[in-house]
Amino acid sequence: MLVHQILKSKGDDAVISVTPATKVADAARILAERRIGGLVVSEDGTTADGIVSERDIVRSLAVRGDGCLTETVAQMMTRNPVCCTRQDTADAVLARMTEGRFRHMPVVEDGKLVGIVTIGDVVKAQLMELAMEKDALEGMIMGR
Ligand code: AMP
């Protein structure tokens, strides 16, 4: 299973991004409205300059209080996020997410942002693949 197959199965491959100048309160609103856990931060909408996740916002709220909501995402984002390409395998992406303890990975090709995969997307795709393999094996055994 490759990342491009995961992106295809998601259907909507639009990446929701914000600029570094976006206020943290606005980023939190977008996360809530879109029901997502992370946003790619991009100066021009084509590069993955950073990533800001709900965890970054929750941690800042706990450590610094609600004053952080009026700051910009540039102040709390993780710069130079780990990215993958469409040709990476789901296994490799899952291993990098597990090692790095993060759940989002921008998909970049020739320096340009082409999608985003989450740990949920990868696990869902792997479960579907396993179910198909199981059906095929059962079919072979039962002579279907
Ligand atoms: P997450 O589990 O994705 O909500 O993120 C947990 C932490 O890892 C947060 O501090 C994020 O900013 C950071 N993070 C998320 N995705 C990535 C990534 N692809 N590369 C590096 N850091 C990341």
PDB file of all heavy atoms in Angstrom, residues 13 27 37:
ATOM      1  N   ASP A  13      -8.403  15.378  -1.633  1.00  0.00           N
ATOM      2  CA  ASP A  13      -6.997  15.485  -1.277  1.00  0.00           C
ATOM      3  C   ASP A  13      -6.568  16.935  -1.002  1.00  0.00           C
ATOM      4  O   ASP A  13      -5.396  17.242  -0.951  1.00  0.00           O
ATOM      5  CB  ASP A  13      -6.096  14.833  -2.328  1.00  0.00           C
ATOM      6  CG  ASP A  13      -6.310  15.435  -3.699  1.00  0.00           C
ATOM      7  OD1 ASP A  13      -7.149  16.347  -3.820  1.00  0.00           O
ATOM      8  OD2 ASP A  13      -5.634  14.991  -4.637  1.00  0.00           O
ATOM      9  N   ALA A  27      -6.711  29.404  14.172  1.00  0.00           N
ATOM     10  CA  ALA A  27      -6.311  28.023  13.840  1.00  0.00           C
ATOM     11  C   ALA A  27      -7.179  27.036  14.624  1.00  0.00           C
ATOM     12  O   ALA A  27      -7.648  26.028  14.075  1.00  0.00           O
ATOM     13  CB  ALA A  27      -4.833  27.814  14.162  1.00  0.00           C
ATOM     14  N   GLY A  37      -7.232  17.439  13.315  1.00  0.00           N
ATOM     15  CA  GLY A  37      -6.348  17.613  14.467  1.00  0.00           C
ATOM     16  C   GLY A  37      -5.073  18.371  14.176  1.00  0.00           C
ATOM     17  O   GLY A  37      -4.306  18.663  15.102  1.00  0.00           O
TER      18      GLY A  37
END
